[in-house]
Structure formats: structure tokens, C-alpha cells
Amino acid sequence: MLDPHYLRNHLNEVAKALKSRGFELDTDAFAQLEEERKKLQIETQALQQERNEKSRSIGQAKARGENIDEILTEVATLGDRLKESEQKLAKIQAKLNDIMLRIPNIPHESVPFGESEEDNVEIRRWGEKPPMDFEPQDHVDIGTALKMLDFETAVKITSSRFVIMKDQIAKLHRALIQFMLNTHTSEHGYTEVNVPYLVNAESMQGTGQLPKFEEDLFAVREHGFYLIPTAEVPVTNIVRNEILEVGDLPRKYVCHTPCFRSEAGSYGKDTRGMIRQHQFEKVELVQMVRPDESWQALEELTAHAETILQKLGLHYRVITLCTGDLGFSAAKTYDLEVWLPSQKTFREISSCSNFLDFQARRMKARWRNPETGKPELLHTLNGSGLAVGRTLLAVMENYQDEKGRIHIPKVLQPYMEGTDVID
RNA sequence: GGAGAGAUGGCAGAGCGGUUGAAUGCACUGGUCUUGAAAACCAGCAAGGGUUAAUAGCCCUUCCAGGGUUCGAAUCCCUGUCUCUCCGCCA
């Protein structure tokens, strides 16, 4: 959520910035609602003040043993007027709040302007394409031939966009998780957490999935829970409604969870293989930091995610998302894209974002600034470190040989009990 | 799932329907004392919002959440959520 104060006073400026990411803010309607709110709020508070004063004088008169009939008649209609005013105000505040919750974050000034992913800007590359003097297969063909990926049975059990991993592929998948968690905890200073996979609506609102993106989520409606689309939701909400002391910052969490996405609206997109599944696993990095440290934290967090790709020896590039491709809550996002030989292109494997105080304001996540002594909103960041399913297929494709075998990167071999090739 | 108890400031913990936004302790901040620290003593210290140029005043809201009773609710009533104890079930 944007700062309501700031929005009110810089309405046109904000509207212009939001337009760069394709969001139209109806400034006239907002300004009018805001004016109404102001009038009603002043009126309501004046009535409340009057009630408080009269009630207090009744109490005092009674204590002195005086007659209170006169004051009581004065107050007779006050209750009804106040109630009416309060209800009107509540209604308009709810309306404004709903609007506020649906306004995306303002892109940071360093974010390149653009309309779609076409306009994203590559900022660096690492590594090289693996040399292959044969036509590379995709992970579906490799995994199916090995009888270690089974899409058909998963359809029987559930539906499309699910998969069954078996044997050495399942183990490789598990090895990747362990490797990522160990790297981030031992080398990057993150604290490992294990969190609920079902969350309530407040948590979803806190990180920005609700109210606007309900159709992207799976829900357990009879309990009012949602399946998490990313560990970002439960992990970031750890600090919801908290005031952290300065010594408690930064908080750096790493968390492995399954992620559940309905993929509404992506019909026909990436239908083959494990690129886009309803259920996939991810190791997520989440940071809560002092506001003056968040931009540096974004660079560090991105580097932490990159470390995984580097240790795995996977060729990748880093891009800055342009204004039009930016996610709802993010002020700036770097995507890591890994090379996929079968598609002869780079595909997203991590997304690292600074949300500034956008999520923190929704969550009331604060820290006590020792300079002012007052609670202030903190900044939140997160990034995949990495998406495990996509990393798995990147390893399968980049480390395949002409016989359809998969060679295991050195760093993973200890997690594979010494296995160096899957065949 | 059944029975009972509870939910108050960063934490612990009082609180008669009427200056209670809330005693007290801890923590924290400032000061005195001290070579320094500790201790002791003194003082300060909830959050959110409105108005405003203002981090000045003034005002409003908030004692789990949502309703209700009342001129007035932390205090009374109803509903929900959560926590704890016991029983049942269970990885």
C-alpha cells in the first residue's frame, strides 16, 4: 500500500508514475472520495468530542449529587446523529481502503520504462552455454526416457500441470533443496525457517496477493485458508503487526516450501514439462531491513541467488524488469534467467525484489528508529534462491550428454551419495 | 470432537460502568552520582488517525475481533477467533 498521506498530496504525480506500469488511477474519483472522507471525519470526530464532554459532565454532576435531567435531554438526539455519521464514515473509509489496497507500488526511479517483458534490460551475464555437438533434448524427453519423470500418472492422480518425480531425479530434486538451504544458511547468513503452507486472508493481504489476485490462488474455502503461492507470504508475515528493535535487524530468512498457483490466465502457455506447474518447490530468501539499507540489500540478495547458479555452473543473465513488467508490490525487480539449451533461450529461475515499505504498510511491520524513538515502517525484500523445479530442469538439460544421461554437478554429488551420473 | 479457564502497553501483570490511555514491576531513554561501569536515586516512555507548514497545539480511535446495552464500557450482554488445562482421537 502507498502512503495515504503522500498519495493525497501528490495525486497527479503518483498517477503519472503508476501509468508507466500500465495502471490507471482515477484521480478525480479518488480526490472526490477523499474530500467526502475529510468532511465526514471532521464531522464525526466533532460529534464524538461532544459526546465525550457531555458524558464526562454527567459523571461529574452525579458525583456532586446534582440533577442531570437537563444534560440528558441535551444529549438525547446526539447518539443517533453520531451513529449515522459514524456509519457513513466507515462506509467511505472502507471504499477508500479497498481502492488503496488495489493500487500497485510505484516503480523506483532506476527502473527502465517499458510496456512489456520485451522492454526488460539485461544488465549482466555469467558463464557460457554448455558446448553440445548434438541436438539437445528437453527435460521431458530426458526424464521420460529415464522413466524418472511421469506426467501422465500425475494427470490421473490430479490433473495437468502436475508431475511425479522418481528415483534419481527425485533425489536430485531433493539434493538441490539441501544444497540451496545449506549455502544460504552457512555462507550467506540466513536463518532457516519452516512455515505453514496454508495461510489466512490477512497474510495474503499483507504481502499483496489479496484482494486483487484471488483467482491466482488455491483456497480451502470452508476454513478460510489459502495455499501459499510462494514462501514469501508466510515468511514475510512473520513480522506482521510487530515492532522490531534496531538490534533485531536485518532479519534474513531462507525457507523451502511447495508453492501452489492456479495459473489462471496462462492456458496454453508452457504446457509442456515442468516450467509452469500448479505445484512446485522453491527456496525463498526473505529480508526485513532498515529503510536506508534496502537498496544495498537488494543487490546482496540477488547476488546470493546468483551464487547458486554459479556453483551449479549454469549459464545465466540478470535483467531489470521494466516498469510495465513489474509485479504488483515491487518497486524494483531483478530476474535471473537461466540458459535452456532445448529452448535456446534464457528462462526465469529467480525473481528478486525490493518492496520498500509497500508490504510493511499493509502488514504494519515496523522497527523502532533509535534516532526518533518512534516506530517506522521497515522495508521488505525477497527473491527465489532458487525455484527448485526450474533449477532441476536446467541441470537436466545443461548437463545432458548425447546418450541422454545427466551428469551431476560436483557441488551436488555429496547430496547424491556420490552419484556422478544418472542413467 | 467434549469440558473448563483465559486474552490488557515492548514484556510481565493490576484494574469498582464515570478525568483509566490505563496502577505496579521489568525493559528502554535522559539526568544525578562515579575515573568509567554497575548499583542507587530523579524524570520520561503505547500505537494509529484527523486537522495543520509543523516531528507545535487541539481533537478522535484503540485494553483479541465483530456486534449490542448505556448519556458514558477495558469493565455488562451476544457471536467469533486464538491460547492454556483435562478427556477423546491421532503422525
Side-chain angles (χ1 to χ4, degrees):
Chain A
M1 194 156 79
L2 301 176
D3 181 355
H5 227 93
Y6 185 84
L7 180 57
R8 265 176 239 155
N9 298 325
H10 304 80
L11 197 52
N12 291 321
E13 199 179 310
V14 171
K16 195 178 160 206
L18 293 177
K19 204 175 165 138
S20 76
R21 52 139 75 222
F23 183 87
E24 290 290 341
L25 181 64
D26 188 342
T27 51
D28 289 345
F30 184 86
Q32 198 186 329
L33 266 177
E34 183 50 41
E35 201 178 316
E36 251 179 276
R37 186 229 96 227
K38 185 167 170 174
K39 189 172 140 257
L40 268 171
Q41 186 159 354
I42 290 172
E43 183 185 307
T44 306
Q45 292 187 351
L47 286 170
Q48 286 171 329
Q49 183 179 358
E50 190 183 343
R51 177 205 58 196
N52 291 346
E53 283 167 356
K54 292 264 160 69
S55 295
R56 209 171 301 139
S57 62
I58 289 174
Q60 287 163 351
K62 257 178 119 172
R64 289 193 297 264
E66 294 170 8
N67 188 301
I68 57 168
D69 291 351
E70 196 182 323
I71 317 180
L72 282 180
T73 54
E74 272 177 46
V75 150
T77 63
L78 188 61
D80 289 339
R81 283 188 290 148
L82 177 57
K83 193 170 232 174
E84 194 193 343
S85 187
E86 278 175 338
Q87 281 170 351
K88 274 200 219 158
L89 178 63
K91 213 166 158 186
I92 204 161
Q93 279 177 329
K95 215 161 163 182
L96 270 169
N97 191 246
D98 188 62
I99 292 173
M100 293 294 296
L101 285 172
R102 290 166 190 275
I103 299 175
N105 205 350
I106 299 170
H108 185 249
E109 56 188 16
S110 67
V111 172
F113 177 81
E115 285 183 10
S116 72
E117 57 183 311
E118 308 289 312
D119 304 312
N120 292 339
V121 176
E122 179 176 322
I123 52 175
R124 61 178 171 270
R125 269 179 203 219
W126 185 93
E128 281 168 26
K129 300 170 197 171
M132 287 184 183
D133 50 8
F134 56 94
E135 191 55 36
Q137 297 181 278
D138 80 351
H139 68 283
V140 178
D141 289 337
I142 300 168
T144 309
L146 288 166
K147 296 198 183 343
M148 296 181 194
L149 284 185
D150 182 352
F151 292 92
E152 271 111 68
T153 307
V155 169
K156 176 178 75 180
I157 296 170
T158 309
S159 79
S160 63
R161 292 207 191 280
F162 288 88
V163 68
I164 291 174
M165 292 177 272
K166 283 196 284 203
D167 198 14
Q168 295 295 300
I169 297 281
K171 190 169 185 171
L172 177 58
H173 184 261
R174 174 161 58 89
L176 283 166
I177 295 163
Q178 298 280 67
F179 163 65
M180 291 178 195
L181 285 172
N182 283 353
T183 303
H184 294 309
T185 53
S186 304
E187 296 177 24
H188 301 150
Y190 288 79
T191 303
E192 184 173 349
V193 282
N194 191 294
V195 297
Y197 305 155
L198 292 171
V199 300
N200 56 35
E202 290 75 44
S203 294
M204 285 293 186
Q205 187 177 101
T207 32
Q209 283 74 18
L210 288 180
K212 216 174 173 180
F213 305 101
E214 175 140 34
E215 71 276 9
D216 295 336
L217 302 169
F218 286 113
V220 186
R221 294 232 151 68
E222 54 275 45
H223 291 97
F225 297 149
Y226 294 86
L227 278 77
I228 57 170
T230 159
E232 162 192 350
V233 179
V235 176
T236 312
N237 274 281
I238 288 174
V239 297
R240 174 151 56 91
N241 291 326
E242 299 283 339
I243 301 173
L244 306 184
E245 295 303 325
V246 63
D248 198 15
L249 294 173
R251 289 233 193 151
K252 296 166 71 180
Y253 292 117
V254 59
C255 183
H256 158 242
T257 68
C259 304
F260 303 92
R261 299 186 182 178
S262 76
E263 293 297 341
S266 61
Y267 302 110
K269 205 172 172 188
D270 298 316
T271 49
R272 182 178 163 85
M274 292 177 65
I275 285 269
R276 194 174 298 278
Q277 300 270 284
H278 285 311
Q279 174 187 320
F280 63 96
E281 303 199 19
K282 191 153 56 72
V283 170
E284 185 77 359
L285 305 172
V286 177
Q287 293 198 25
M288 297 87 176
V289 306
R290 304 168 47 131
D292 55 353
E293 290 176 352
S294 68
W295 289 112
Q296 198 194 336
L298 177 64
E299 299 301 321
E300 288 169 5
L301 185 145
T302 306
H304 295 151
E306 284 179 66
T307 300
I308 301 296
L309 287 165
Q310 291 171 9
K311 285 177 183 270
L312 291 171
L314 292 169
H315 179 41
Y316 70 90
R317 64 174 187 173
V318 184
I319 60 170
T320 305
L321 296 193
C322 72
T323 52
D325 202 25
L326 213 51
F328 178 77
S329 302
K332 183 172 188 173
T333 298
Y334 293 123
D335 270 9
L336 307 188
E337 297 184 335
V338 70
W339 177 254
L340 291 189
S342 70
Q343 300 190 2
K344 298 187 171 44
T345 184
F346 290 96
R347 292 302 304 258
E348 178 189 342
I349 198 165
S350 172
S351 200
C352 304
S353 305
N354 185 0
F355 303 94
L356 302 177
D357 59 14
F358 187 85
Q359 294 182 323
R361 185 170 292 105
R362 288 171 161 251
M363 291 191 299
K364 293 186 180 61
R366 294 156 297 170
W367 70 298
R368 195 173 294 279
N369 185 342
E371 282 171 34
T372 61
K374 291 286 166 196
E376 296 174 14
L377 294 171
L378 42 80
H379 283 190
T380 60
L381 304 98
N382 67 57
S384 347
L386 308 163
V388 181
R390 289 188 181 180
T391 310
L392 175 76
L393 69 90
V395 169
M396 289 174 70
E397 296 196 5
N398 282 284
Y399 284 92
Q400 64 180 300
D401 64 19
E402 68 279 15
K403 290 180 183 144
R405 299 180 299 191
I406 305 162
H407 296 265
I408 306 297
K410 266 266 175 321
V411 290
L412 293 180
Q413 289 176 14
Y415 298 95
M416 294 289 289
E417 299 183 287
T419 301
D420 60 357
V421 66
I422 296 176
D423 56 8

